Amino acid sequence: MGATGRIMVRVNDELVLDAGACEEVVGAHGPEWIIHAPPTTLFQQVLAYLREKPDPPKPPSGTFTSREGIAAAALVLRWGSYLSVLLDHGKAVWPEAESSVASRISDAEMARINIEASAALARWIDLFRDDPRGRGYEELVNRALAYLPMPLKRSKAKVSAVCALADPEMAELLVHAANPSSLERARAAAERSPSRILANALVNTAWRNGPVENIHAGAFRGYPLDQRRVTLAEERELMAFASERLALGMSVCLSLATEESRRTWSDQVLPYGLAEAMLITPSGWSTTEASRDVRLPAERAAVLH
């Protein structure tokens, strides 16, 4: 990447992603970088690539549920969001990556990852709902595992409240206990963007409320764009955590798609817009954005020239 220009991330020998463009500007407090979102989202680029690939000669190992979780984490987080820029293996590891006190993801970068991952997961959920356990969806899952690199370590997610909220009786209890004004806002959002409401909750539990907080928290030491800010061991931990919890999330989608009650899709996801006290529903997350520009202080601008 040049001082100003496209940000490219290599996935494998065939696929290089356009992660946006970096521009140096003068801000209110000095030089800044603006990282503009790409014209085509990272998730859309990866999905288009998988749709063009042949099925792997041999289906990946593991249960379909575990494969779903890994595929979702690969598509919506590892490669389908701005996180791919921070985990780029083509860069040297930033020395501060070993620090226990340095923040390595800015608030603006975290917001972009949250938005892109949630928008991508909402689309992935819709693809599943159009073809639950159908051949087309299964093919995409298997291709994701075959063609998208994913360093993992074993993890085991416990039974989650995310799954409990799919139960109609539990959902009814939560709805009846909700503050009327909160319920009105949540219901309106669920009717406008039902898949995004569920995606926000799943990304919050599988990504934001996980080990990434140890990487995000800390003191400002600069946010270099030319160095990898997350170690491989941390990447394995992040992806294992996300994969296990997104596997639970996709099992929720199956449960909702096959339940016998006549609840509408917006009614089914409504509890996921009301469970903020349970640390499931995120506060203030977008239900419309697919990406967002990032602004960073340019203290380290010189290293990019």
Side-chain angles (χ1 to χ4, degrees):
M1 188 194 74
T4 58
R6 307 306 302 178
I7 301 174
M8 311 303 292
V9 178
R10 178 168 293 281
V11 178
N12 54 34
D13 291 341
E14 301 175 320
L15 178 62
V16 177
L17 299 174
D18 177 3
C22 183
E23 176 187 10
E24 188 174 0
V25 299
V26 177
H29 303 288
E32 293 181 337
W33 290 110
I34 301 179
I35 298 97
H36 298 286
T40 302
T41 68
L42 289 159
F43 172 76
Q44 289 173 314
Q45 294 175 54
V46 177
L47 184 61
Y49 166 74
L50 293 181
R51 282 177 162 158
E52 293 297 321
K53 294 299 292 180
D55 291 334
K58 183 179 179 181
S61 61
T63 66
F64 186 71
T65 298
S66 68
R67 300 203 306 271
E68 276 188 296
I70 296 170
L75 274 160
V76 311
L77 266 173
R78 176 58 184 89
W79 299 108
S81 81
Y82 180 82
L83 182 61
S84 64
V85 175
L86 306 184
L87 300 183
D88 186 355
H89 288 189
K91 301 173 183 175
V93 177
W94 186 33
E96 290 286 354
E98 302 294 340
S99 170
S100 61
V101 296
S103 168
R104 288 173 281 145
I105 303 179
S106 76
D107 288 345
E109 291 175 315
M110 182 64 79
R112 176 170 164 179
I113 295 170
N114 295 345
I115 289 167
E116 291 182 341
S118 180
L121 184 57
R123 177 60 182 141
W124 186 244
I125 288 170
D126 286 340
L127 288 172
F128 167 82
R129 284 176 54 79
D130 290 341
D131 187 28
R133 288 295 191 262
R135 183 62 183 158
Y137 172 75
E138 183 177 357
E139 286 174 351
L140 287 174
V141 168
N142 290 339
R143 291 175 192 178
L145 268 69
Y147 299 114
L148 302 180
M150 277 288 282
L152 292 167
K153 71 175 186 179
R154 292 190 63 82
S155 177
K156 188 64 178 177
K158 297 180 180 178
V159 175
S160 169
V162 168
C163 297
L165 292 181
D167 179 73
E169 292 183 4
M170 175 67 77
E172 186 176 4
L173 289 174
L174 185 61
V175 168
H176 283 314
N179 175 278
S181 60
S182 298
L183 177 59
E184 183 179 359
R185 288 193 299 272
R187 192 181 296 281
E191 289 174 353
R192 287 193 307 268
S193 309
S195 296
R196 188 65 178 270
I197 292 297
L198 179 57
N200 276 353
L202 296 182
V203 170
N204 191 42
T205 56
W207 160 252
R208 190 62 187 87
N209 289 340
V212 72
E213 182 55 29
N214 295 328
I215 300 169
H216 175 52
F220 173 75
R221 296 286 189 273
Y223 296 108
L225 293 172
D226 62 334
Q227 294 176 294
R228 176 183 166 95
R229 298 186 229 148
V230 180
T231 68
L232 183 57
E234 289 170 326
E235 180 185 351
R236 291 193 187 100
E237 182 180 20
L238 291 173
M239 292 300 101
F241 185 90
S243 296
E244 293 288 351
R245 281 148 187 80
L246 287 175
L248 291 177
M250 295 313 297
S251 72
V252 164
C253 292
L254 178 62
S255 175
L256 295 176
T258 57
E259 76 172 27
E260 295 181 357
S261 75
R262 294 182 175 275
R263 290 192 298 166
T264 65
W265 180 223
S266 61
D267 283 339
Q268 287 179 323
V269 304
L270 177 59
Y272 295 92
L274 291 169
E276 192 169 344
M278 301 167 68
L279 302 181
I280 293 174
T281 307
S283 176
W285 282 25
S286 174
T287 59
T288 58
E289 292 177 279
S291 186
R292 180 184 292 179
D293 290 352
V294 170
R295 279 183 175 264
L296 295 176
E299 281 83 351
R300 294 183 56 87
V303 302
L304 295 171
H305 289 274

